[in-house]
Amino acid sequence: EIKENTVVTVHYTGTLPSNGDTFDSSLERDPLTFLVGHKQMIPGFEREMLGATVGEKREFTLKSEDAYGPYMEDAVQQVPPDMFGEIAPKEGMTLMSDIGPLRVTKVEDDLITVDFNHALAGEDLIFNVEVIEIRDATEEEITHGHAHGPGGHHH
Ligand code: ZN
């Protein structure tokens, strides 16, 4: 069963309770593999899957604080275009910065609005999860803090 230091492979679909939209699903690609207990996943996801066995399906709703955290108004900032160097900022663009990913949400002539919130910040999330495989983690995986092998992290 799923517990700390197991490597778990699941198929999952995430939807938004607010409008029913699917924001992410593994069903059109390979299932997701992760090491339990090492912060590879958002906190509520692992908590809700603890104790599940192979073939089991679970559906649960996570509050935003157990998912991608609250939406923070002060994580929205306005910056001059020259902050982007050679990149021409466009609305909807996601860029990496020194303090994490940011999304460009508005482009005006002399002012660019950027949002450091995760795209799912402030959202409650519904997950439908099916457990495909469970195995014990190797010593190396536990040391690294992530899963290796197919569907996991590669070196
Ligand atoms: Zn590794």
Side-chain angles (χ1 to χ4, degrees):
E1 66 178 48
I2 296 179
K3 58 183 192 233
E4 194 155 327
N5 292 332
T6 55
V7 172
V8 177
T9 300
V10 298
H11 265 305
Y12 70 94
T13 297
T15 53
L16 298 175
S18 50
N19 57 14
D21 281 358
T22 299
F23 62 85
D24 192 18
S25 178
S26 67
L27 293 176
E28 303 296 315
R29 53 180 196 256
D30 289 336
L32 172 74
T33 297
F34 61 97
L35 172 63
V36 177
H38 294 260
K39 297 187 164 60
Q40 280 209 278
M41 302 293 289
I42 54 177
F45 190 95
E46 286 192 353
R47 188 190 66 219
E48 293 290 337
M49 292 307 296
L50 287 177
T53 53
V54 173
E56 191 171 338
K57 293 179 181 178
R58 288 191 178 180
E59 176 178 332
F60 49 88
T61 301
L62 299 183
K63 291 287 180 192
S64 61
E65 57 264 34
D66 285 329
Y68 291 95
Y71 186 86
M72 292 182 288
E73 295 295 340
D74 60 3
V76 179
Q77 294 172 13
Q78 294 189 310
V79 298
D82 59 17
M83 290 277 291
F84 293 86
E86 294 180 359
I87 297 166
K90 291 191 180 68
E91 286 181 20
M93 207 179 235
T94 298
L95 299 166
M96 276 312 294
S97 77
D98 292 344
I99 59 171
L102 63 82
R103 282 174 299 134
V104 177
T105 55
K106 195 174 180 188
V107 176
E108 291 157 302
D109 287 343
D110 51 356
L111 215 49
I112 313 299
T113 305
V114 297
D115 188 346
F116 288 93
N117 285 293
H118 189 281
L120 293 171
E123 298 276 3
D124 295 347
L125 307 177
I126 299 171
F127 283 99
N128 278 276
V129 186
E130 179 176 6
V131 182
I132 308 296
E133 188 186 334
I134 304 168
R135 64 172 170 82
D136 292 329
T138 64
E139 289 296 328
E140 189 182 49
E141 286 173 318
I142 293 168
T143 304
H144 287 196
H146 53 234
H148 291 167
H153 183 86
H154 295 258
H155 288 265

